[in-house]
């Protein structure tokens, strides 16, 4: 089985000129956690995920990922100066994050696969590199995306249709 047999062709993407708030809006509206970043020729130039966002917040919030709602709960429950400072710092970091170019947070050395690659090789790659999905390219241009879930579904469907299970 080949990647082209299981890949999703309608790929949500960010563009290299997008700001992080554009990407976060797509994450929220589309209920996704990552997407390839493409240039004007639809070539993959990066990948942005919720993990990249969390790493940024972790580095800029005293290495602690805090949800805004949790901070606000503490803020309203007890108005200690340290908590106020923490809320203010979190807000500043969030607003700073929103206005950054997506490429400032993105993974730039993106692993890609080709549409005619063997699915077994892609499954091994996803497992070995501990990644959830990988962009599919043809002649350097994005043509799809394949995820661990796509691979698992394909394997299960092949197994079930083989008659091995009654």
């Amino acid at each position: 089985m080949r990647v082209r047999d299981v890949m999703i062709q309608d790929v949500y993407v960010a563009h290299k000129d997008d700001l992080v708030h554009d990407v976060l809006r797509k994450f929220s509206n589309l209920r996704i956690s990552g997407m390839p970043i493409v240039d004007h020729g639809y070539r993959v130039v990066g990948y942005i995920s919720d993990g990249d966002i969390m790493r940024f917040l972790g580095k800029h919030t005293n290495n602690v990922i805090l949800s805004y709602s949790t901070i606000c709960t503490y803020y309203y429950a007890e108005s200690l100066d340290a908590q106020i400072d923490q809320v203010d710092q979190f807000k500043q970091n969030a607003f700073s994050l929103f206005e950054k170019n997506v490429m400032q947070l993105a993974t730039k050395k993106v692993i890609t696969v080709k549409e005619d690659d063997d699915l077994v090789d892609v499954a091994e790659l996803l497992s070995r590199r501990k990644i959830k999905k990988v962009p599919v390219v043809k002649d350097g241009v994005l043509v799809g995306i394949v995820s661990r879930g796509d691979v698992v579904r394909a394997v299960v469907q092949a197994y079930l249709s083989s008659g091995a299970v009654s």
Side-chain angles (χ1 to χ4, degrees), residues 109-142:
K109 293 183 179 179
V110 181
I111 299 167
T112 61
V113 297
K114 295 184 174 113
E115 63 181 352
D116 58 351
D117 286 349
D118 191 290
L119 199 56
V120 172
D121 296 333
V122 174
E124 191 276 330
L125 172 75
L126 292 168
S127 177
R128 181 173 35 86
R129 298 301 295 262
K130 296 181 173 124
I131 52 180
K132 295 178 184 178
K133 41 184 107 158
V134 62
V136 182
V137 296
K138 180 179 182 180
D139 300 323
V141 176
L142 181 69

PDB file of all heavy atoms in Angstrom, residues 109-142:
ATOM      1  N   LYS A 109      12.924  22.354   9.767  1.00  0.00           N
ATOM      2  CA  LYS A 109      13.447  21.147   9.113  1.00  0.00           C
ATOM      3  C   LYS A 109      12.335  20.102   9.131  1.00  0.00           C
ATOM      4  O   LYS A 109      12.284  19.244  10.011  1.00  0.00           O
ATOM      5  CB  LYS A 109      14.688  20.641   9.827  1.00  0.00           C
ATOM      6  CG  LYS A 109      15.867  21.583   9.699  1.00  0.00           C
ATOM      7  CD  LYS A 109      17.098  21.024  10.367  1.00  0.00           C
ATOM      8  CE  LYS A 109      18.250  21.992  10.191  1.00  0.00           C
ATOM      9  NZ  LYS A 109      19.466  21.522  10.843  1.00  0.00           N
ATOM     10  N   VAL A 110      11.461  20.218   8.168  1.00  0.00           N
ATOM     11  CA  VAL A 110      10.258  19.390   8.139  1.00  0.00           C
ATOM     12  C   VAL A 110      10.543  18.062   7.447  1.00  0.00           C
ATOM     13  O   VAL A 110      11.123  18.025   6.362  1.00  0.00           O
ATOM     14  CB  VAL A 110       9.114  20.122   7.401  1.00  0.00           C
ATOM     15  CG1 VAL A 110       7.850  19.279   7.398  1.00  0.00           C
ATOM     16  CG2 VAL A 110       8.862  21.478   8.034  1.00  0.00           C
ATOM     17  N   ILE A 111      10.118  16.998   8.092  1.00  0.00           N
ATOM     18  CA  ILE A 111      10.193  15.669   7.495  1.00  0.00           C
ATOM     19  C   ILE A 111       9.004  15.540   6.558  1.00  0.00           C
ATOM     20  O   ILE A 111       7.861  15.810   6.956  1.00  0.00           O
ATOM     21  CB  ILE A 111      10.141  14.583   8.579  1.00  0.00           C
ATOM     22  CG1 ILE A 111      11.341  14.735   9.524  1.00  0.00           C
ATOM     23  CG2 ILE A 111      10.090  13.192   7.959  1.00  0.00           C
ATOM     24  CD1 ILE A 111      11.225  13.913  10.790  1.00  0.00           C
ATOM     25  N   THR A 112       9.260  15.149   5.331  1.00  0.00           N
ATOM     26  CA  THR A 112       8.175  14.926   4.366  1.00  0.00           C
ATOM     27  C   THR A 112       8.321  13.536   3.778  1.00  0.00           C
ATOM     28  O   THR A 112       9.382  12.912   3.893  1.00  0.00           O
ATOM     29  CB  THR A 112       8.212  15.966   3.220  1.00  0.00           C
ATOM     30  OG1 THR A 112       9.444  15.848   2.518  1.00  0.00           O
ATOM     31  CG2 THR A 112       8.046  17.381   3.747  1.00  0.00           C
ATOM     32  N   VAL A 113       7.255  13.062   3.166  1.00  0.00           N
ATOM     33  CA  VAL A 113       7.291  11.800   2.436  1.00  0.00           C
ATOM     34  C   VAL A 113       6.716  12.045   1.050  1.00  0.00           C
ATOM     35  O   VAL A 113       6.080  13.073   0.810  1.00  0.00           O
ATOM     36  CB  VAL A 113       6.505  10.679   3.168  1.00  0.00           C
ATOM     37  CG1 VAL A 113       7.134  10.378   4.515  1.00  0.00           C
ATOM     38  CG2 VAL A 113       5.031  11.039   3.332  1.00  0.00           C
ATOM     39  N   LYS A 114       6.947  11.093   0.179  1.00  0.00           N
ATOM     40  CA  LYS A 114       6.409  11.190  -1.185  1.00  0.00           C
ATOM     41  C   LYS A 114       5.165  10.323  -1.289  1.00  0.00           C
ATOM     42  O   LYS A 114       5.025   9.321  -0.593  1.00  0.00           O
ATOM     43  CB  LYS A 114       7.469  10.762  -2.181  1.00  0.00           C
ATOM     44  CG  LYS A 114       8.653  11.704  -2.179  1.00  0.00           C
ATOM     45  CD  LYS A 114       9.661  11.330  -3.246  1.00  0.00           C
ATOM     46  CE  LYS A 114      10.735  12.386  -3.281  1.00  0.00           C
ATOM     47  NZ  LYS A 114      12.019  11.921  -2.853  1.00  0.00           N
ATOM     48  N   GLU A 115       4.294  10.686  -2.212  1.00  0.00           N
ATOM     49  CA  GLU A 115       3.016   9.982  -2.351  1.00  0.00           C
ATOM     50  C   GLU A 115       3.177   8.534  -2.778  1.00  0.00           C
ATOM     51  O   GLU A 115       2.307   7.711  -2.505  1.00  0.00           O
ATOM     52  CB  GLU A 115       2.083  10.733  -3.294  1.00  0.00           C
ATOM     53  CG  GLU A 115       2.591  10.853  -4.708  1.00  0.00           C
ATOM     54  CD  GLU A 115       1.639  11.625  -5.602  1.00  0.00           C
ATOM     55  OE1 GLU A 115       0.513  11.946  -5.169  1.00  0.00           O
ATOM     56  OE2 GLU A 115       2.013  11.878  -6.740  1.00  0.00           O
ATOM     57  N   ASP A 116       4.303   8.186  -3.402  1.00  0.00           N
ATOM     58  CA  ASP A 116       4.499   6.793  -3.816  1.00  0.00           C
ATOM     59  C   ASP A 116       5.348   6.000  -2.824  1.00  0.00           C
ATOM     60  O   ASP A 116       5.690   4.844  -3.073  1.00  0.00           O
ATOM     61  CB  ASP A 116       5.086   6.718  -5.232  1.00  0.00           C
ATOM     62  CG  ASP A 116       6.405   7.456  -5.376  1.00  0.00           C
ATOM     63  OD1 ASP A 116       6.791   8.177  -4.441  1.00  0.00           O
ATOM     64  OD2 ASP A 116       7.053   7.308  -6.428  1.00  0.00           O
ATOM     65  N   ASP A 117       5.649   6.587  -1.647  1.00  0.00           N
ATOM     66  CA  ASP A 117       6.371   5.842  -0.610  1.00  0.00           C
ATOM     67  C   ASP A 117       5.494   4.721  -0.069  1.00  0.00           C
ATOM     68  O   ASP A 117       4.261   4.828  -0.035  1.00  0.00           O
ATOM     69  CB  ASP A 117       6.775   6.762   0.543  1.00  0.00           C
ATOM     70  CG  ASP A 117       7.938   7.681   0.197  1.00  0.00           C
ATOM     71  OD1 ASP A 117       8.569   7.477  -0.861  1.00  0.00           O
ATOM     72  OD2 ASP A 117       8.216   8.612   0.986  1.00  0.00           O
ATOM     73  N   ASP A 118       6.140   3.670   0.357  1.00  0.00           N
ATOM     74  CA  ASP A 118       5.441   2.531   0.948  1.00  0.00           C
ATOM     75  C   ASP A 118       4.918   2.919   2.327  1.00  0.00           C
ATOM     76  O   ASP A 118       5.635   3.532   3.127  1.00  0.00           O
ATOM     77  CB  ASP A 118       6.393   1.338   1.064  1.00  0.00           C
ATOM     78  CG  ASP A 118       5.664   0.070   1.425  1.00  0.00           C
ATOM     79  OD1 ASP A 118       5.187  -0.041   2.578  1.00  0.00           O
ATOM     80  OD2 ASP A 118       5.565  -0.812   0.554  1.00  0.00           O
ATOM     81  N   LEU A 119       3.681   2.556   2.610  1.00  0.00           N
ATOM     82  CA  LEU A 119       3.042   2.923   3.872  1.00  0.00           C
ATOM     83  C   LEU A 119       3.754   2.310   5.079  1.00  0.00           C
ATOM     84  O   LEU A 119       3.814   2.919   6.148  1.00  0.00           O
ATOM     85  CB  LEU A 119       1.562   2.510   3.852  1.00  0.00           C
ATOM     86  CG  LEU A 119       0.678   3.203   4.867  1.00  0.00           C
ATOM     87  CD1 LEU A 119       0.748   4.719   4.731  1.00  0.00           C
ATOM     88  CD2 LEU A 119      -0.739   2.720   4.742  1.00  0.00           C
ATOM     89  N   VAL A 120       4.324   1.136   4.910  1.00  0.00           N
ATOM     90  CA  VAL A 120       5.066   0.496   5.992  1.00  0.00           C
ATOM     91  C   VAL A 120       6.258   1.359   6.391  1.00  0.00           C
ATOM     92  O   VAL A 120       6.547   1.551   7.581  1.00  0.00           O
ATOM     93  CB  VAL A 120       5.530  -0.925   5.590  1.00  0.00           C
ATOM     94  CG1 VAL A 120       6.470  -1.511   6.628  1.00  0.00           C
ATOM     95  CG2 VAL A 120       4.320  -1.828   5.368  1.00  0.00           C
ATOM     96  N   ASP A 121       6.955   1.923   5.404  1.00  0.00           N
ATOM     97  CA  ASP A 121       8.101   2.797   5.688  1.00  0.00           C
ATOM     98  C   ASP A 121       7.654   4.068   6.411  1.00  0.00           C
ATOM     99  O   ASP A 121       8.328   4.552   7.316  1.00  0.00           O
ATOM    100  CB  ASP A 121       8.829   3.168   4.397  1.00  0.00           C
ATOM    101  CG  ASP A 121       9.452   1.961   3.714  1.00  0.00           C
ATOM    102  OD1 ASP A 121       9.779   0.977   4.409  1.00  0.00           O
ATOM    103  OD2 ASP A 121       9.606   2.006   2.473  1.00  0.00           O
ATOM    104  N   VAL A 122       6.517   4.598   6.016  1.00  0.00           N
ATOM    105  CA  VAL A 122       6.002   5.807   6.655  1.00  0.00           C
ATOM    106  C   VAL A 122       5.579   5.501   8.090  1.00  0.00           C
ATOM    107  O   VAL A 122       5.831   6.300   9.000  1.00  0.00           O
ATOM    108  CB  VAL A 122       4.838   6.409   5.840  1.00  0.00           C
ATOM    109  CG1 VAL A 122       4.197   7.575   6.571  1.00  0.00           C
ATOM    110  CG2 VAL A 122       5.345   6.852   4.474  1.00  0.00           C
ATOM    111  N   ALA A 123       4.961   4.352   8.317  1.00  0.00           N
ATOM    112  CA  ALA A 123       4.575   3.950   9.671  1.00  0.00           C
ATOM    113  C   ALA A 123       5.810   3.864  10.562  1.00  0.00           C
ATOM    114  O   ALA A 123       5.806   4.348  11.705  1.00  0.00           O
ATOM    115  CB  ALA A 123       3.841   2.609   9.639  1.00  0.00           C
ATOM    116  N   GLU A 124       6.869   3.300  10.034  1.00  0.00           N
ATOM    117  CA  GLU A 124       8.120   3.178  10.793  1.00  0.00           C
ATOM    118  C   GLU A 124       8.693   4.564  11.084  1.00  0.00           C
ATOM    119  O   GLU A 124       9.158   4.836  12.191  1.00  0.00           O
ATOM    120  CB  GLU A 124       9.119   2.319  10.004  1.00  0.00           C
ATOM    121  CG  GLU A 124      10.346   1.898  10.792  1.00  0.00           C
ATOM    122  CD  GLU A 124      11.443   2.948  10.795  1.00  0.00           C
ATOM    123  OE1 GLU A 124      11.559   3.702   9.814  1.00  0.00           O
ATOM    124  OE2 GLU A 124      12.174   3.037  11.795  1.00  0.00           O
ATOM    125  N   LEU A 125       8.643   5.453  10.104  1.00  0.00           N
ATOM    126  CA  LEU A 125       9.144   6.816  10.264  1.00  0.00           C
ATOM    127  C   LEU A 125       8.367   7.565  11.354  1.00  0.00           C
ATOM    128  O   LEU A 125       8.960   8.194  12.237  1.00  0.00           O
ATOM    129  CB  LEU A 125       9.036   7.583   8.940  1.00  0.00           C
ATOM    130  CG  LEU A 125       9.341   9.073   8.993  1.00  0.00           C
ATOM    131  CD1 LEU A 125      10.839   9.301   9.114  1.00  0.00           C
ATOM    132  CD2 LEU A 125       8.800   9.767   7.753  1.00  0.00           C
ATOM    133  N   LEU A 126       7.052   7.497  11.290  1.00  0.00           N
ATOM    134  CA  LEU A 126       6.215   8.162  12.281  1.00  0.00           C
ATOM    135  C   LEU A 126       6.517   7.638  13.682  1.00  0.00           C
ATOM    136  O   LEU A 126       6.607   8.417  14.641  1.00  0.00           O
ATOM    137  CB  LEU A 126       4.734   7.970  11.951  1.00  0.00           C
ATOM    138  CG  LEU A 126       4.211   8.673  10.702  1.00  0.00           C
ATOM    139  CD1 LEU A 126       2.826   8.161  10.340  1.00  0.00           C
ATOM    140  CD2 LEU A 126       4.200  10.177  10.885  1.00  0.00           C
ATOM    141  N   SER A 127       6.692   6.344  13.789  1.00  0.00           N
ATOM    142  CA  SER A 127       6.982   5.734  15.077  1.00  0.00           C
ATOM    143  C   SER A 127       8.382   6.112  15.575  1.00  0.00           C
ATOM    144  O   SER A 127       8.544   6.541  16.714  1.00  0.00           O
ATOM    145  CB  SER A 127       6.864   4.218  14.961  1.00  0.00           C
ATOM    146  OG  SER A 127       7.202   3.600  16.166  1.00  0.00           O
ATOM    147  N   ARG A 128       9.362   5.964  14.729  1.00  0.00           N
ATOM    148  CA  ARG A 128      10.758   6.225  15.117  1.00  0.00           C
ATOM    149  C   ARG A 128      10.971   7.686  15.489  1.00  0.00           C
ATOM    150  O   ARG A 128      11.642   7.995  16.463  1.00  0.00           O
ATOM    151  CB  ARG A 128      11.694   5.817  13.980  1.00  0.00           C
ATOM    152  CG  ARG A 128      13.179   6.017  14.271  1.00  0.00           C
ATOM    153  CD  ARG A 128      14.084   5.451  13.174  1.00  0.00           C
ATOM    154  NE  ARG A 128      13.580   5.560  11.827  1.00  0.00           N
ATOM    155  CZ  ARG A 128      13.739   6.638  11.040  1.00  0.00           C
ATOM    156  NH1 ARG A 128      14.388   7.686  11.468  1.00  0.00           N
ATOM    157  NH2 ARG A 128      13.255   6.636   9.805  1.00  0.00           N
ATOM    158  N   ARG A 129      10.400   8.597  14.712  1.00  0.00           N
ATOM    159  CA  ARG A 129      10.600  10.030  14.940  1.00  0.00           C
ATOM    160  C   ARG A 129       9.602  10.620  15.945  1.00  0.00           C
ATOM    161  O   ARG A 129       9.681  11.782  16.294  1.00  0.00           O
ATOM    162  CB  ARG A 129      10.510  10.794  13.618  1.00  0.00           C
ATOM    163  CG  ARG A 129      11.569  10.419  12.596  1.00  0.00           C
ATOM    164  CD  ARG A 129      12.999  10.630  13.078  1.00  0.00           C
ATOM    165  NE  ARG A 129      13.329  12.010  13.319  1.00  0.00           N
ATOM    166  CZ  ARG A 129      13.971  12.798  12.488  1.00  0.00           C
ATOM    167  NH1 ARG A 129      14.389  12.328  11.330  1.00  0.00           N
ATOM    168  NH2 ARG A 129      14.210  14.043  12.808  1.00  0.00           N
ATOM    169  N   LYS A 130       8.643   9.787  16.373  1.00  0.00           N
ATOM    170  CA  LYS A 130       7.624  10.196  17.352  1.00  0.00           C
ATOM    171  C   LYS A 130       6.871  11.442  16.888  1.00  0.00           C
ATOM    172  O   LYS A 130       6.713  12.413  17.629  1.00  0.00           O
ATOM    173  CB  LYS A 130       8.259  10.414  18.718  1.00  0.00           C
ATOM    174  CG  LYS A 130       8.832   9.140  19.286  1.00  0.00           C
ATOM    175  CD  LYS A 130       9.434   9.355  20.654  1.00  0.00           C
ATOM    176  CE  LYS A 130       9.807   8.010  21.200  1.00  0.00           C
ATOM    177  NZ  LYS A 130      11.093   7.796  21.589  1.00  0.00           N
ATOM    178  N   ILE A 131       6.418  11.392  15.645  1.00  0.00           N
ATOM    179  CA  ILE A 131       5.618  12.485  15.104  1.00  0.00           C
ATOM    180  C   ILE A 131       4.221  11.971  14.766  1.00  0.00           C
ATOM    181  O   ILE A 131       4.033  10.775  14.514  1.00  0.00           O
ATOM    182  CB  ILE A 131       6.279  13.151  13.870  1.00  0.00           C
ATOM    183  CG1 ILE A 131       6.655  12.122  12.803  1.00  0.00           C
ATOM    184  CG2 ILE A 131       7.487  13.957  14.299  1.00  0.00           C
ATOM    185  CD1 ILE A 131       7.305  12.714  11.568  1.00  0.00           C
ATOM    186  N   LYS A 132       3.251  12.872  14.766  1.00  0.00           N
ATOM    187  CA  LYS A 132       1.856  12.480  14.575  1.00  0.00           C
ATOM    188  C   LYS A 132       1.441  12.453  13.119  1.00  0.00           C
ATOM    189  O   LYS A 132       0.595  11.671  12.735  1.00  0.00           O
ATOM    190  CB  LYS A 132       0.938  13.434  15.343  1.00  0.00           C
ATOM    191  CG  LYS A 132       1.118  13.360  16.829  1.00  0.00           C
ATOM    192  CD  LYS A 132       0.220  14.355  17.529  1.00  0.00           C
ATOM    193  CE  LYS A 132       0.474  14.333  19.014  1.00  0.00           C
ATOM    194  NZ  LYS A 132      -0.340  15.323  19.702  1.00  0.00           N
ATOM    195  N   LYS A 133       2.006  13.367  12.332  1.00  0.00           N
ATOM    196  CA  LYS A 133       1.639  13.425  10.921  1.00  0.00           C
ATOM    197  C   LYS A 133       2.798  13.974  10.128  1.00  0.00           C
ATOM    198  O   LYS A 133       3.681  14.627  10.668  1.00  0.00           O
ATOM    199  CB  LYS A 133       0.371  14.228  10.673  1.00  0.00           C
ATOM    200  CG  LYS A 133       0.208  15.479  11.463  1.00  0.00           C
ATOM    201  CD  LYS A 133      -1.128  16.158  11.225  1.00  0.00           C
ATOM    202  CE  LYS A 133      -2.045  16.009  12.396  1.00  0.00           C
ATOM    203  NZ  LYS A 133      -3.080  16.976  12.502  1.00  0.00           N
ATOM    204  N   VAL A 134       2.748  13.695   8.838  1.00  0.00           N
ATOM    205  CA  VAL A 134       3.842  14.117   7.975  1.00  0.00           C
ATOM    206  C   VAL A 134       3.266  14.611   6.642  1.00  0.00           C
ATOM    207  O   VAL A 134       2.372  13.987   6.074  1.00  0.00           O
ATOM    208  CB  VAL A 134       4.863  12.970   7.786  1.00  0.00           C
ATOM    209  CG1 VAL A 134       4.255  11.765   7.130  1.00  0.00           C
ATOM    210  CG2 VAL A 134       6.089  13.419   7.057  1.00  0.00           C
ATOM    211  N   PRO A 135       3.757  15.769   6.164  1.00  0.00           N
ATOM    212  CA  PRO A 135       3.304  16.271   4.868  1.00  0.00           C
ATOM    213  C   PRO A 135       3.765  15.356   3.733  1.00  0.00           C
ATOM    214  O   PRO A 135       4.846  14.768   3.785  1.00  0.00           O
ATOM    215  CB  PRO A 135       3.980  17.647   4.752  1.00  0.00           C
ATOM    216  CG  PRO A 135       4.353  18.021   6.150  1.00  0.00           C
ATOM    217  CD  PRO A 135       4.637  16.721   6.845  1.00  0.00           C
ATOM    218  N   VAL A 136       2.932  15.267   2.716  1.00  0.00           N
ATOM    219  CA  VAL A 136       3.234  14.466   1.529  1.00  0.00           C
ATOM    220  C   VAL A 136       3.508  15.444   0.384  1.00  0.00           C
ATOM    221  O   VAL A 136       2.713  16.357   0.144  1.00  0.00           O
ATOM    222  CB  VAL A 136       2.050  13.545   1.166  1.00  0.00           C
ATOM    223  CG1 VAL A 136       2.395  12.681  -0.047  1.00  0.00           C
ATOM    224  CG2 VAL A 136       1.651  12.675   2.363  1.00  0.00           C
ATOM    225  N   VAL A 137       4.643  15.232  -0.299  1.00  0.00           N
ATOM    226  CA  VAL A 137       5.018  16.131  -1.386  1.00  0.00           C
ATOM    227  C   VAL A 137       5.220  15.365  -2.698  1.00  0.00           C
ATOM    228  O   VAL A 137       5.522  14.176  -2.694  1.00  0.00           O
ATOM    229  CB  VAL A 137       6.306  16.924  -1.050  1.00  0.00           C
ATOM    230  CG1 VAL A 137       6.095  17.841   0.135  1.00  0.00           C
ATOM    231  CG2 VAL A 137       7.481  15.999  -0.798  1.00  0.00           C
ATOM    232  N   LYS A 138       5.021  16.102  -3.780  1.00  0.00           N
ATOM    233  CA  LYS A 138       5.309  15.594  -5.122  1.00  0.00           C
ATOM    234  C   LYS A 138       6.077  16.705  -5.828  1.00  0.00           C
ATOM    235  O   LYS A 138       5.575  17.831  -5.945  1.00  0.00           O
ATOM    236  CB  LYS A 138       4.021  15.266  -5.878  1.00  0.00           C
ATOM    237  CG  LYS A 138       4.276  14.737  -7.278  1.00  0.00           C
ATOM    238  CD  LYS A 138       2.972  14.398  -7.976  1.00  0.00           C
ATOM    239  CE  LYS A 138       3.277  13.827  -9.363  1.00  0.00           C
ATOM    240  NZ  LYS A 138       2.029  13.485 -10.053  1.00  0.00           N
ATOM    241  N   ASP A 139       7.291  16.390  -6.246  1.00  0.00           N
ATOM    242  CA  ASP A 139       8.165  17.392  -6.864  1.00  0.00           C
ATOM    243  C   ASP A 139       8.314  18.616  -5.963  1.00  0.00           C
ATOM    244  O   ASP A 139       8.340  19.749  -6.430  1.00  0.00           O
ATOM    245  CB  ASP A 139       7.638  17.802  -8.240  1.00  0.00           C
ATOM    246  CG  ASP A 139       7.558  16.627  -9.198  1.00  0.00           C
ATOM    247  OD1 ASP A 139       8.452  15.756  -9.150  1.00  0.00           O
ATOM    248  OD2 ASP A 139       6.604  16.581  -9.987  1.00  0.00           O
ATOM    249  N   GLY A 140       8.381  18.375  -4.648  1.00  0.00           N
ATOM    250  CA  GLY A 140       8.576  19.446  -3.681  1.00  0.00           C
ATOM    251  C   GLY A 140       7.340  20.222  -3.294  1.00  0.00           C
ATOM    252  O   GLY A 140       7.383  21.096  -2.436  1.00  0.00           O
ATOM    253  N   VAL A 141       6.205  19.929  -3.924  1.00  0.00           N
ATOM    254  CA  VAL A 141       4.962  20.665  -3.671  1.00  0.00           C
ATOM    255  C   VAL A 141       4.035  19.820  -2.793  1.00  0.00           C
ATOM    256  O   VAL A 141       3.877  18.615  -3.008  1.00  0.00           O
ATOM    257  CB  VAL A 141       4.262  21.024  -5.005  1.00  0.00           C
ATOM    258  CG1 VAL A 141       2.925  21.693  -4.767  1.00  0.00           C
ATOM    259  CG2 VAL A 141       5.171  21.911  -5.850  1.00  0.00           C
ATOM    260  N   LEU A 142       3.406  20.458  -1.816  1.00  0.00           N
ATOM    261  CA  LEU A 142       2.491  19.769  -0.907  1.00  0.00           C
ATOM    262  C   LEU A 142       1.291  19.217  -1.666  1.00  0.00           C
ATOM    263  O   LEU A 142       0.615  19.953  -2.391  1.00  0.00           O
ATOM    264  CB  LEU A 142       2.002  20.738   0.174  1.00  0.00           C
ATOM    265  CG  LEU A 142       1.061  20.150   1.213  1.00  0.00           C
ATOM    266  CD1 LEU A 142       1.803  19.156   2.109  1.00  0.00           C
ATOM    267  CD2 LEU A 142       0.462  21.268   2.059  1.00  0.00           C
TER     268      LEU A 142
END
